Amino acid sequence: MSKVKEPMATYYSVPQITALKNRLKASIEQENNIEVLLQYESIMCPQQKPNYDETYFAGMEKNFECLKGAPMPCCYTEEELDHVILESEKSGVVDDEEINAFFARWKSLL
């Protein structure tokens, strides 16, 4: 006899599902760690990825056009900058798609 794959939700009643939702909402409300919240978001909203197309980059260029030619501000020592970069890489906030889109756009400007 083969096993039937049924959704897990068929084993839960409406009150159980409501209680589960309430626990999740309470957990999210109490959370202050941005990395944990970003993990929640990636699990709960995988379809809501930003679209990194030409209009996205055109908007970014328009927003920061006033900075063209401005000197780069220096607010970190070399060691502090290394630490900031390391922490940024660990956070995983930027996905591969965004990085590839950025480099493709950057290469097209050269």
Side-chain angles (χ1 to χ4, degrees):
M1 185 161 109
S2 64
K3 293 183 179 181
V4 177
K5 291 188 176 186
E6 296 181 25
M8 186 65 101
T10 58
Y11 299 106
Y12 286 92
S13 66
V14 174
Q16 288 173 315
I17 293 172
T18 303
L20 177 61
K21 287 180 182 179
N22 289 338
R23 284 195 310 271
L24 285 170
K25 287 176 188 176
S27 171
I28 291 169
E29 288 297 322
Q30 293 173 357
E31 187 59 57
N32 291 325
N33 185 337
I34 188 69
E35 292 179 12
V36 173
L37 290 171
L38 288 168
Q39 289 173 359
Y40 280 161
E41 181 188 37
S42 69
I43 291 169
M44 296 205 261
C45 311
Q47 71 281 3
Q48 292 183 357
K49 288 192 171 187
N51 186 13
Y52 300 108
D53 57 5
E54 288 298 316
T55 55
Y56 169 81
F57 288 112
M60 292 295 285
E61 285 178 10
K62 183 180 178 186
N63 290 339
F64 296 104
E65 190 171 12
C66 63
L67 297 176
K68 282 186 180 176
M72 187 69 149
C74 179
C75 41
Y76 296 110
T77 66
E78 192 67 32
E79 294 80 26
E80 290 172 334
L81 181 59
D82 289 342
H83 178 71
V84 169
I85 291 171
L86 182 65
E87 290 300 313
S88 175
E89 289 172 348
K90 282 184 190 176
S91 73
V93 173
V94 179
D95 60 4
D96 289 338
E97 180 185 344
E98 184 180 1
I99 292 170
N100 292 336
F102 173 80
F103 279 113
R105 176 72 175 168
W106 178 65
K107 287 178 182 177
S108 72
L109 296 174
L110 296 177

